[in-house]
Amino acid sequence: MNEKTLQMRLGLGACLMALFLVFVAIPNWVAAPSNVPNIILSPLFWPYTLSAFTGLVGLGLIATSMRLPVTDETLNDPIDDLGPARMRMIGIAVIMLVSMFLFPRLGMVWTCMLAFLATAFLVKTRHPVTAVICAILIPLILYAFFAHVAGVAVPQGNFVRLP
């Protein structure tokens, strides 16, 4: 499969998923009270927002694929040694299991920081400094928003509590 075909298929898949979410999944499976005072606190707001972003990314992928030239080269050559791929799969499974163990002890924010870092280094990111900065800032910013702006209780751990 060449890059143009891959981009087109991913874009179409993202658009179809966004349409499925907007017209089937969210209306049928997300319950929301009618008297929510702030739209950001509505259980419908974030699923619709993520669906819209998914659709926009899909449209961007389709537009990108239309600009690419048609080539005969394939993106991925067959791999003979599957050992590293298997080790990454085992590694991500271990990260998930350790995360579930750490959630009640460290809380959601600190566990997400550690899981993000571990995953970034498991896949050998080309941008380790950016990964470390994002691993620290994104959970803290989300915590600050949900705990202090939206008034939603974020699970805290037994050992470390955030203000």
Side-chain angles (χ1 to χ4, degrees), residues 91-104:
I92 198 72
V94 168
I95 290 170
M96 287 187 232
L97 289 172
V98 169
S99 295
M100 294 311 296
F101 174 78
L102 290 178
F103 270 127

Side-chain angles (χ1 to χ4, degrees), residues 87-121:
M87 290 307 293
R88 282 191 300 274
M89 288 295 287
I90 291 169
I92 198 72
V94 168
I95 290 170
M96 287 187 232
L97 289 172
V98 169
S99 295
M100 294 311 296
F101 174 78
L102 290 178
F103 270 127
R105 289 154 184 81
L106 295 180
M108 187 176 279
V109 177
W110 300 103
T111 303
C112 288
M113 286 180 191
L114 294 173
F116 189 103
L117 271 177
T119 304
F121 290 113

Side-chain angles (χ1 to χ4, degrees), residues 1-6 69-79:
M1 179 181 318
N2 61 24
E3 188 173 357
K4 182 179 180 87
T5 306
L6 178 67
V70 177
T71 59
D72 290 337
E73 68 185 55
T74 59
L75 286 176
N76 297 324
D77 294 327
I79 298 173

Side-chain angles (χ1 to χ4, degrees), residues 2-152:
N2 61 24
E3 188 173 357
K4 182 179 180 87
T5 306
L6 178 67
Q7 295 270 345
M8 180 63 79
R9 288 182 182 178
L10 286 173
L12 287 174
C15 288
L16 289 174
M17 182 55 71
L19 290 173
F20 171 75
L21 288 171
V22 168
F23 292 113
V24 178
I26 297 171
N28 290 322
W29 296 313
V30 177
S34 59
N35 60 350
V36 177
N38 190 347
I39 191 166
I40 294 176
L41 299 178
S42 171
L44 295 173
F45 179 76
W46 292 109
Y48 278 124
T49 302
L50 292 176
S51 299
F53 283 133
T54 301
L56 286 174
V57 167
L59 291 174
L61 286 169
I62 292 171
T64 301
S65 74
M66 291 186 180
R67 292 184 356 185
L68 292 174
V70 177
T71 59
D72 290 337
E73 68 185 55
T74 59
L75 286 176
N76 297 324
D77 294 327
I79 298 173
D80 294 328
D81 183 22
L82 295 177
R86 287 188 180 119
M87 290 307 293
R88 282 191 300 274
M89 288 295 287
I90 291 169
I92 198 72
V94 168
I95 290 170
M96 287 187 232
L97 289 172
V98 169
S99 295
M100 294 311 296
F101 174 78
L102 290 178
F103 270 127
R105 289 154 184 81
L106 295 180
M108 187 176 279
V109 177
W110 300 103
T111 303
C112 288
M113 286 180 191
L114 294 173
F116 189 103
L117 271 177
T119 304
F121 290 113
L122 175 71
V123 298
K124 298 177 184 169
T125 180
R126 287 183 253 165
H127 309 285
V129 174
T130 305
V132 170
I133 292 170
C134 288
I136 295 169
L137 288 182
I138 291 173
L140 286 176
I141 291 170
L142 287 172
Y143 168 76
F145 172 77
F146 282 106
H148 299 295
V149 177
V152 175

